[in-house]
Amino acid sequence: MNTISEIKEVNELRTLSLNLFNKHGFPTKKDEDWKQSTLNYFLESNKNLEIYKPNKEVINEKVVEKFKHNKIFIVNGLVQKTEFEGKDKDKLIITSIDEYYNKNNKHLSKLFSNKKNPLIAANNGLATIGYYLEVKDNLDLPIIIYYQFNSKADQKQIHQKNYILLNKNSKAVIFEKFLNDNKKTFITINTNIDVEKNSHFKNYILNSNNTENCIYRFKKVNIATSANYESFIFSNITKTIRDEVEINLNESLSECYLYYTQFLKNNEEHEIKVKINHLAENTKSYQFSKSIMDGTAKGVYQGKIFVDQIAQKTNGYQLIKSVLLSDQCTFHSKPELEIYADDVKCSHGSSSTSLNKDELFYLMARGIPENQAKRLIVQGFLSEVVEKISDENFKNYFLKKTEDMLA
């Protein structure tokens, strides 16, 4: 399972992508989209990393969450084990991306899109592993995908390509938990997601405990009529990560909700790039991001809302806030609107400030020690985003994570 075999159409698309990558190479700071990127230095310094050869690896089951859920274990990019519970067993299909390619060649070009992006071109050309996951009906339990990377992937490259399909009238919660025990590995994960008519997909991600790797994740999400997509990313103790998402609101009444919180210290770095395309009437998008920077940490948020001329009655919202706790940390924000329709409601805003001294004084005046007062302010700042999560169980899970992170 999981290795891509010699499929003529796949090989042709891979060759095309590799040629494009070889022509343009890794991104540099001369490219506007990568101007603030923290990946450049790692990629320039590690051009000759060997590609990891997929193998059967030991699963770390100590990190399994205590509550009941469906499980997918992926170690060094390879699906090693799945466990689906109760009636959900009949509602889920998971196969290798290889098997998917064999049966669904008509979608191949979609899975190999975005060739102008050099890292996606590299993923298109080099990915030999990945999964196809189909949700056929409402799931009773969430799926947790445990992405684990161990020391056998040290100083190597791993490229993975996935496809997730939610059939019409279905609901699913997928939580992606990333655990990195490896060093100086270059990882790209390219995931295509189709959310069909009247379906609801909640996708939560935990980035933590990754201090020495370079990770690039790209998601392309297509949303059909009356369907919606909710995403939340929580980042803490991360090093050189770029999360990029492109969302197409293809049909009327489609919606997306994107939430981000991050608390970065020392020399930790995280980039977020979002592009939302409103391509039909009566669509809605909502972005809300809050970041805490300390030490020499660096955060980047690039967010663009595109409204096609036929996308009347669009409602687009974007708010990006950050608090800088030291003089050495930085946060770069670049909100953008590109609108070609005239009957729309779109707004964006961005701010970076230091810790609110009035709030700190208020708490300290009531006998709360300074360190505890700062912690309460930071916790309240980040929790405002976490409170937006619509799944109550995961809302409480991430509120607890936020509390633990600041303890």
Side-chain angles (χ1 to χ4, degrees):
M1 181 171 173
N2 290 296
T3 54
I4 296 173
S5 61
E6 296 297 316
I7 302 170
K8 181 183 174 184
E9 292 82 358
V10 172
N11 284 336
E12 288 175 355
L13 290 165
R14 292 176 67 176
T15 301
L16 177 64
S17 294
L18 272 179
N19 289 339
L20 284 167
F21 175 74
N22 289 331
K23 181 179 178 182
H24 298 291
F26 286 121
T28 70
K29 290 186 179 298
K30 293 179 181 178
D31 303 312
E32 182 63 27
D33 282 351
W34 300 85
K35 196 172 182 179
Q36 300 295 340
S37 179
T38 54
L39 274 68
N40 309 61
Y41 177 76
F42 180 95
L43 296 172
E44 284 296 321
S45 305
N46 297 276
K47 287 182 176 177
N48 300 313
L49 294 178
E50 181 184 344
I51 293 179
Y52 171 79
K53 293 179 181 177
N55 201 359
K56 188 170 178 60
E57 300 283 0
V58 176
I59 298 169
N60 177 6
E61 300 205 37
K62 292 180 181 177
V63 298
V64 171
E65 298 291 347
K66 303 298 182 189
F67 54 87
K68 201 170 182 181
H69 60 278
N70 301 297
K71 306 174 188 71
I72 298 174
F73 294 94
I74 299 176
V75 184
N76 294 348
L78 198 68
V79 177
Q80 303 281 358
K81 183 181 176 184
T82 62
E83 292 179 9
F84 300 149
E85 302 285 338
K87 293 179 181 178
D88 284 350
K89 290 177 183 174
D90 300 324
K91 302 173 185 174
L92 287 164
I93 297 172
I94 184 164
T95 67
S96 68
I97 198 70
D98 182 29
E99 190 172 334
Y100 171 77
Y101 286 148
N102 270 311
K103 293 179 179 176
N104 297 276
N105 282 359
K106 65 179 181 181
H107 295 306
L108 278 175
S109 59
K110 183 168 65 178
L111 297 183
F112 283 83
S113 62
N114 296 287
K115 302 178 192 69
K116 291 182 180 178
N117 181 319
L119 294 192
I120 294 178
N123 180 281
N124 288 345
L126 300 171
T128 58
I129 47 181
Y131 62 81
Y132 166 79
L133 176 64
E134 181 176 343
V135 178
K136 297 191 289 184
D137 203 346
N138 295 339
L139 297 183
D140 295 327
L141 297 171
I143 300 170
I144 298 185
I145 302 177
Y146 295 94
Y147 284 93
Q148 301 179 9
F149 299 93
N150 62 30
S151 60
K152 292 183 181 177
D154 283 359
Q155 300 186 51
K156 291 186 170 57
Q157 301 182 44
I158 294 177
H159 302 278
Q160 183 176 351
K161 187 177 288 296
N162 310 316
Y163 181 34
I164 298 174
L165 170 64
L166 262 73
N167 283 328
K168 64 180 181 179
N169 303 316
S170 61
K171 295 180 182 177
V173 178
I174 295 180
F175 172 37
E176 299 173 73
K177 187 174 181 179
F178 283 78
L179 302 139
N180 299 78
D181 294 321
N182 54 331
K183 297 176 181 176
K184 295 185 179 178
T185 307
F186 174 40
I187 300 165
T188 71
I189 302 176
N190 185 354
T191 304
N192 283 264
I193 299 171
D194 282 339
V195 186
E196 294 196 338
K197 180 180 178 181
N198 199 35
S199 291
H200 307 282
F201 183 22
K202 298 174 184 179
N203 186 193
Y204 307 131
I205 295 175
L206 174 64
N207 289 322
S208 65
N209 193 33
N210 166 38
T211 57
E212 296 192 58
N213 298 312
C214 177
I215 300 176
Y216 175 71
R217 279 192 302 248
F218 177 82
K219 286 184 177 174
K220 187 166 187 176
V221 187
N222 289 297
I223 307 176
T225 187
S226 300
N228 63 53
Y229 173 76
E230 177 181 296
S231 171
F232 172 73
I233 296 181
F234 178 104
S235 292
N236 174 232
I237 315 178
T238 63
K239 176 64 178 170
T240 320
I241 292 184
R242 176 159 164 143
D243 273 301
E244 192 166 334
V245 61
E246 181 175 346
I247 296 179
N248 293 323
L249 298 165
N250 289 321
E251 298 175 6
S252 64
L253 303 177
S254 55
E255 300 176 344
C256 67
Y257 301 86
L258 307 180
Y259 308 121
Y260 301 91
T261 64
Q262 52 186 337
F263 183 25
L264 305 181
K265 296 176 287 186
N266 304 321
N267 61 348
E268 298 162 5
E269 302 164 340
H270 188 199
E271 293 177 75
I272 297 165
K273 186 173 189 295
V274 178
K275 185 180 182 186
I276 297 175
N277 298 311
H278 290 260
L279 304 173
E281 291 187 348
N282 290 300
T283 56
K284 180 179 180 181
S285 67
Y286 186 96
Q287 299 172 63
F288 190 20
S289 171
K290 283 195 166 186
S291 303
I292 298 286
M293 298 287 128
D294 201 358
T296 56
K298 180 179 181 180
V300 179
Y301 193 106
Q302 299 184 68
K304 183 172 187 176
I305 299 173
F306 171 85
V307 181
D308 190 89
Q309 60 182 355
I310 66 168
Q312 303 294 347
K313 309 292 183 186
T314 283
N315 186 350
Y317 178 84
Q318 181 189 80
L319 183 60
I320 306 158
K321 290 188 172 182
S322 63
V323 171
L324 309 181
L325 299 181
S326 79
D327 295 334
Q328 293 77 39
C329 60
T330 56
F331 188 86
H332 299 270
S333 175
K334 187 184 175 189
E336 291 181 272
L337 296 174
E338 185 175 345
I339 300 172
Y340 296 98
D342 51 21
D343 185 10
V344 302
K345 180 182 177 184
C346 284
S347 62
H348 62 183
S350 175
S351 68
S352 291
T353 63
S354 55
L355 205 64
N356 189 311
K357 292 181 179 178
D358 291 339
E359 291 178 355
L360 187 62
F361 176 79
Y362 177 85
L363 292 173
M364 291 176 66
R366 278 149 184 79
I368 299 175
E370 183 176 357
N371 285 342
Q372 187 179 348
K374 286 181 178 177
R375 189 165 64 245
L376 286 172
I377 294 170
V378 168
Q379 186 175 345
F381 178 78
L382 296 178
S383 296
E384 190 182 354
V385 178
V386 183
E387 292 282 355
K388 297 285 185 185
I389 295 174
S390 62
D391 184 283
E392 286 296 324
N393 292 329
F394 277 98
K395 179 195 294 184
N396 293 329
Y397 176 89
F398 283 110
L399 285 172
K400 181 70 168 52
K401 279 285 178 191
T402 304
E403 187 178 336
D404 292 346
M405 174 182 71
L406 297 168

